[in-house]
């Protein structure tokens, strides 16, 4: 185990995936940046504010329950990235201490930085963080309102460290939320695919990540892209694939196909859209291709160019080299219904085993504009109402998957719940009279499966340690678990009742009631 | 030099690997541009241009192609597409012909400039005909410009609201740039986003807890310290004393930081009780000992932001008294202020300041903290940011190109080579189709063939982005605003 961890750490020190900062500033700048990634300014001042003789600060992270939220459970994902990239091994050096000291002097216009304590981390622990983090295994599905991970100091001198790293750890809201939303998409797609085709073939290719350009940075693209890959293996967000490779041991977590974009079509000129389309077919004759077709008039393109002038070229192709037509404007559902009608008329269709219409195997559609959880449900429902199978269609999603979400989407929060002062433990909490939903859990926490089989959190240090589903993932600078994407995908797979909702309604009601009533 | 371990060849949407095979034969130039498209009914009619210099310095300048990166990309894409489709040869040509530097020219509006929606903000084109395919290869990365632009814009919109109320209820704008504190570090999606968003906020303010943003301003925009903060409590430092010792926890902060401003979150159990009995009674003397330079800033953090605030300021006014300023509004003693950092966004800040003003309270009494609404609750559609090809050269002949989907006219793109100029009314406008006089062009070459051509400092950027008179004194310049607004909506080209 030690040897294994050692390899991981040194491997990471030389292979920082994003390179940090520009080379000319590499030495001074990088180190300072790394130290500051851990925290927010004001916490520099917290060591002076805790009660005297505090020896332990114990905090936890949860996605608080929220009345009326459409998300009752979450996918836990992303912690391993943070641990490997920012927390393991030696994170404190004398150089970093000096830089921080100078920085904070300028920032607060006074000397308030706790230089001494950081030097102690360096001297006592070789600059490794004396912290323990216990967490739900990655990929696990956990109902809202449960502890997801806990953080505590392992050395009484460093009680102040626990919440120092809150800023960084709270960013866990992001990969958790993307993975959760991605999985919600999967439930909707599975339901309709099952109903209109009799099976789930190709489910994990049904939602393609188009979000790279629409997120706020390269790093967010990598994190969000990887989170999507927990549920699907269809993506154009290369950064996510690299993250899955480097932090989750998966050499190639997702796939894509050759595809056009508007510039490759319009650069031929308005009168040569057909030539532009034909070029794609010629260049990629034996693999699936996607061709955006709304540069000027999607309906004309489907009816006259694909459906007439190039119809033979399309019919020549087969399932492994199918043409996937991409509309990209207008009302998503209406445009789609119109497009599939036109294609049905031009290319014909057959009926599958459950009586739904399917276009010829050489022809499919991908809708990548305006897709979110409600439009995808609306589209699939409309298609189904018109007798079309969900097999005909793929979806691309950008912002709604990777950017149109925030910490409030799943009410993610990190709170202190237990402290030790003068050797005595005390359960602590906040309970603002102005908002009961912001109340926090009390004492040391444990996550277990109860007698009904549901996950629940036990507070106040109660419960039997052997029942605890939280696993130590980080301790004193070492990574204690190394999850692969493969395991994570297994943990996160859809359950029977999520694929066949009608058969298990009573179980769902039980779970839902359990969550709402908060059995602790 | 751009980041060493970052593989530029892998920093794009997968499908762009396949585009070199799809352009018309003999294309020698692809020219594209970026804009924040106009949108009917949008509350944002103009944008702050910011953030490109970071991308250039971090990812684009110097040598970005090496043989090692070519090999890594080749293997990667083979697995990803399950076939060989990667254009190894062309990337090797970049390496051999240009030492791995990008033969690209980017022209842009100077950073910090305020530009009405619907105008070109930057253009991208290849400088060597062999590399026409490069222009749109970097689209993915460049479109992420939507983020710093949008944060800087929203931050500035906050500033307009704060300025308006501060001016009206205090007679001046003193301390305006400390009025909105960035609390958003934990609520963004990554460290890098925190840095970018944090820096964008610093274009308008100098109050922040998002250290990453300060570092970005330092390293990429030449500003050693772009923002400031004060010692402050958080819930854990209060509740760790136990429920019965909230007063001791409060007192600790006062003691530890006796000569600087401090902020103390006071809603752990009951904000009203804390204000009325702990601050307003048990610790009242301790508070009154302090002065403007060591003031106590009380922080509510739950409940309806406006209602809670009004209630809190009422209690504090009763307990600590108040004076009237030169324009007749109530101000708490200089040793006491409030910061509202929960639930703050553009509409709640307007609502709160209006309510305060209605109750006769000056905006001097209050500071705001903003997290998600500043740095995360925004997306590419907020300002309709888009990157589109507008001009190509094939067989030596130029052609203006565009999309014009019948299904959505607002998605139409501009045509031909573009120029940004100030017209005779003094407003910025975009000239299409290669028309307009080059000497009028406000777009500046910022990147060319691997070199950074401009190096903006945050100081210059802040100057460019400062509020104009009419934004501080809205009533005095209404007719100008109407003119501008009409100009934007009618799209004078």
């Amino acid at each position: 185990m030690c040897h294994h961890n050692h390899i991981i750490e040194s491997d990471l020190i030389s292979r920082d995936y994003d390179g940090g900062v520009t080379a000319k500033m590499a030495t001074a700048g990088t180190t300072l940046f790394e130290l500051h990634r851990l925290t927010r300014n004001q916490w520099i001042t917290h060591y002076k504010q805790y009660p005297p003789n505090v020896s332990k600060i114990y905090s936890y992270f949860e996605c608080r329950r929220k009345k009326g939220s459409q998300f009752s459970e979450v996918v836990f994902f992303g912690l391993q990235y943070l641990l490997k990239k920012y927390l393991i091994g030696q994170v404190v050096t004398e150089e970093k201490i000096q830089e921080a000291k100078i920085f904070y002097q300028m920032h607060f216009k006074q000397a308030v930085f706790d230089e001494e304590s950081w030097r102690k981390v360096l001297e006592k622990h070789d600059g490794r963080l004396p912290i323990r983090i216990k967490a739900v295994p990655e990929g696990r599905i956990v109902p809202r309102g449960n502890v997801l991970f806990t953080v505590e100091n392992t050395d009484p001198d460093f009680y102040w460290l626990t919440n120092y790293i809150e800023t960084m750890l709270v960013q866990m809201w992001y990969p958790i939320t993307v993975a959760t939303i991605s999985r919600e998409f999967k439930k909707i797609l599975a339901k309709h695919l099952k109903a209109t085709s009799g099976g789930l073939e190709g489910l994990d290719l049904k939602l393609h990540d188009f979000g790279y350009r629409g997120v706020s940075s390269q790093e967010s693209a990598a994190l969000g892209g990887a989170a999507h890959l927990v549920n699907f293996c269809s993506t154009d967000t290369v950064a996510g694939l690299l993250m899955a490779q480097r932090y989750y041991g998966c050499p190639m977590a997702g796939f894509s196909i050759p595809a056009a974009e508007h510039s490759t079509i319009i650069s031929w000129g308005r009168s040569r859209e057909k030539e532009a389309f034909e070029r794609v077919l010629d260049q990629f004759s034996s693999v699936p291709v996607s061709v955006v077709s709304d540069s000027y008039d999607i309906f004309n393109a489907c009816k006259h160019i694909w459906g007439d002038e190039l119809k033979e070229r399309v019919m020549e192709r087969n399932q492994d080299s199918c043409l996937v037509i991409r509309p990209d404007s207008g009302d998503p559902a209406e445009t789609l219904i119109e497009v599939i009608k036109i294609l049905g008329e031009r290319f014909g269709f057959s009926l599958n085993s459950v009586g739904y219409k399917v276009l010829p195997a050489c022809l499919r559609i991908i809708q990548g504009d305006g897709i979110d959880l409600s439009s995808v449900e609306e589209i699939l429902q409309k298609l189904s109402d018109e007798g079309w199978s969900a097999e005909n269609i793929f979806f691309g999603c950008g912002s709604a998957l990777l950017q149109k979400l925030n910490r409030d989407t799943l009410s993610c929060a990190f709170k202190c719940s237990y402290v030790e002062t003068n050797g005595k433990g005390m359960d602590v909490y906040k309970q603002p009279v102005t908002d009961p939903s912001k109340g926090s859990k009390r004492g040391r926490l444990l996550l277990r499966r109860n007698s009904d089989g549901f996950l629940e959190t036990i507070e106040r240090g109660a419960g039997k340690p052997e029942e605890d589903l939280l696993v130590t993932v980080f301790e004193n600078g070492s990574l204690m678990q190394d999850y692969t994407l493969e395991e994570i995908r297994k943990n996160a797979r859809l359950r029977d009742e999520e694929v066949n909702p009608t058969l298990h309604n009573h179980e769902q009601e039980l779970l839902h009631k359990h969550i709402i009533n908060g059995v602790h």
Side-chain angles (χ1 to χ4, degrees), chain A residues 449-456 507 510-511 514 519:
Chain A
R449 201 170 285 285
N450 70 11
S451 49
D452 287 323
F454 295 121
L455 290 174
E456 63 178 12
E507 277 182 28
L510 196 64
L511 173 64
H514 174 82
V519 176

Side-chain angles (χ1 to χ4, degrees), chain A residues 68-249:
Chain A
S69 172
Q70 60 180 130
F71 307 112
S72 57
E73 55 185 21
V74 309
V75 180
F76 187 71
F77 176 73
L79 183 58
Q80 187 160 294
Y81 165 69
L82 289 182
L83 298 177
K84 287 183 175 182
K85 188 165 171 74
Y86 297 119
L87 293 172
I88 71 178
Q90 180 180 7
V91 300
V92 188
T93 64
E94 185 56 43
E95 195 182 36
K96 294 183 188 190
I97 291 173
Q98 288 313 313
E99 285 161 355
K101 182 179 174 182
I102 295 168
F103 179 92
Y104 288 122
Q105 171 74 41
M106 284 197 288
H107 180 59
F108 283 103
K109 296 186 218 164
Q110 58 172 318
V112 76
F113 176 62
D114 189 8
E115 181 181 354
E116 220 177 274
S117 293
W118 281 107
R119 194 162 289 111
K120 230 196 252 181
V121 178
L122 188 54
E123 291 162 358
K124 228 179 156 187
H125 298 285
D126 293 320
R128 298 163 70 95
L129 299 173
I131 287 284
R132 176 182 306 114
I133 300 176
K134 297 186 69 171
V136 157
E138 296 211 19
R140 272 287 175 83
I141 313 303
V142 185
R144 295 274 288 273
N146 277 299
V147 58
L148 294 176
F149 64 87
T150 63
V151 185
E152 62 189 302
N153 54 301
T154 55
D155 178 335
D157 285 347
F158 304 100
Y159 62 90
W160 51 272
L161 250 183
T162 302
N163 271 35
Y164 203 95
I165 51 179
E166 171 178 352
T167 316
M168 171 174 284
L169 293 176
V170 170
Q171 285 188 352
M172 274 295 294
W173 77 263
Y174 182 63
I176 287 173
T177 307
V178 175
T180 299
I181 284 179
S182 171
R183 194 170 184 275
E184 291 296 316
F185 269 109
K186 199 171 184 182
K187 291 181 194 173
I188 295 170
L189 289 158
K191 181 182 81 181
H192 288 278
L193 194 55
K194 189 87 198 274
T196 62
S197 80
L200 295 176
E201 195 185 312
L203 173 63
D204 58 5
L205 294 171
K206 281 297 188 189
L207 185 67
H208 197 92
D209 177 358
F210 276 1
Y212 201 166
R213 72 190 66 178
V215 293
S216 43
S217 67
Q218 293 290 329
E219 187 179 12
S220 294
L223 249 174
H228 175 63
L229 294 168
V230 167
N231 307 294
F232 291 89
C233 53
S234 199
T235 184
D236 257 43
T237 301
V238 178
L241 295 164
L242 292 171
M243 164 145 330
Q245 196 182 77
R246 292 173 191 176
Y247 296 89
Y248 289 96

Side-chain angles (χ1 to χ4, degrees), chain A residues 42 292 404 429:
Chain A
Q42 296 180 339
V292 66
K404 285 181 180 173
Y429 62 97

Side-chain angles (χ1 to χ4, degrees), chain A residues 161-419:
Chain A
L161 250 183
T162 302
N163 271 35
Y164 203 95
I165 51 179
E166 171 178 352
T167 316
M168 171 174 284
L169 293 176
V170 170
Q171 285 188 352
M172 274 295 294
W173 77 263
Y174 182 63
I176 287 173
T177 307
V178 175
T180 299
I181 284 179
S182 171
R183 194 170 184 275
E184 291 296 316
F185 269 109
K186 199 171 184 182
K187 291 181 194 173
I188 295 170
L189 289 158
K191 181 182 81 181
H192 288 278
L193 194 55
K194 189 87 198 274
T196 62
S197 80
L200 295 176
E201 195 185 312
L203 173 63
D204 58 5
L205 294 171
K206 281 297 188 189
L207 185 67
H208 197 92
D209 177 358
F210 276 1
Y212 201 166
R213 72 190 66 178
V215 293
S216 43
S217 67
Q218 293 290 329
E219 187 179 12
S220 294
L223 249 174
H228 175 63
L229 294 168
V230 167
N231 307 294
F232 291 89
C233 53
S234 199
T235 184
D236 257 43
T237 301
V238 178
L241 295 164
L242 292 171
M243 164 145 330
Q245 196 182 77
R246 292 173 191 176
Y247 296 89
Y248 289 96
C250 183
M252 185 48 64
F255 307 95
S256 187
I257 60 175
E261 68 172 22
H262 287 104
S263 84
T264 60
I265 303 297
I266 69 179
S267 51
W268 291 73
R270 178 144 195 168
S271 58
R272 296 175 75 211
E273 195 180 15
K274 163 177 162 287
E275 282 77 3
F277 287 0
E278 210 166 4
R279 176 73 154 189
V280 185
L281 297 181
D282 289 337
Q283 291 292 321
F284 304 101
S285 52
S286 55
V287 288
V289 292
S290 156
V291 183
V292 66
S293 302
D294 79 320
S295 300
Y296 312 108
D297 184 338
I298 176 74
F299 307 118
N300 174 69
C302 291
K303 211 178 287 188
H304 300 298
I305 310 182
W306 293 123
D308 184 12
E309 294 173 293
L310 294 175
K311 181 177 170 180
E312 268 181 52
R313 302 293 323 277
V314 176
M315 297 300 286
E316 267 166 17
R317 301 172 82 94
N318 58 36
Q319 182 174 336
D320 296 323
S321 60
C322 69
L323 165 69
V324 188
I325 291 177
R326 181 161 76 90
D328 195 46
S329 49
D331 175 79
E334 285 176 30
T335 309
L336 206 58
I337 293 292
E338 188 59 30
V339 161
I340 204 168
K341 264 204 188 116
I342 291 169
L343 296 176
E345 283 162 15
R346 293 300 189 176
F347 291 87
F349 55 83
S350 59
L351 293 185
N352 65 20
S353 62
V354 288
Y356 284 85
K357 298 182 283 194
V358 187
L359 293 168
C362 59
L363 187 59
R364 291 289 180 262
I365 307 170
I366 181 165
Q367 173 63 277
D369 179 59
I371 295 303
D372 56 34
L373 288 171
S374 53
S375 66
V376 86
E377 169 65 47
E378 187 195 344
I379 287 169
L380 289 169
Q381 192 54 55
K382 279 205 163 114
L383 276 179
S384 166
D385 291 344
E386 300 281 329
W388 290 101
S389 168
E391 294 164 89
N392 292 296
I393 181 152
F394 295 88
F395 293 93
C397 192
S399 292
L401 183 64
L402 301 190
Q403 183 64 30
K404 285 181 180 173
L405 29 97
N406 58 75
R407 193 161 70 93
D408 296 332
T409 305
L410 297 178
S411 307
C412 300
F414 183 97
K415 292 287 167 276
C416 176
S417 65
Y418 174 81
V419 304

Side-chain angles (χ1 to χ4, degrees), chain A residues 469-487:
Chain A
L469 295 172
L470 298 178
V471 173
T472 300
V473 291
F474 176 92
E475 192 165 72
N476 301 328
S478 299
L479 190 75
M480 307 299 285
Q481 295 292 327
D482 201 346
Y483 298 104
T484 60
L485 188 64
E486 197 183 333
E487 296 174 64

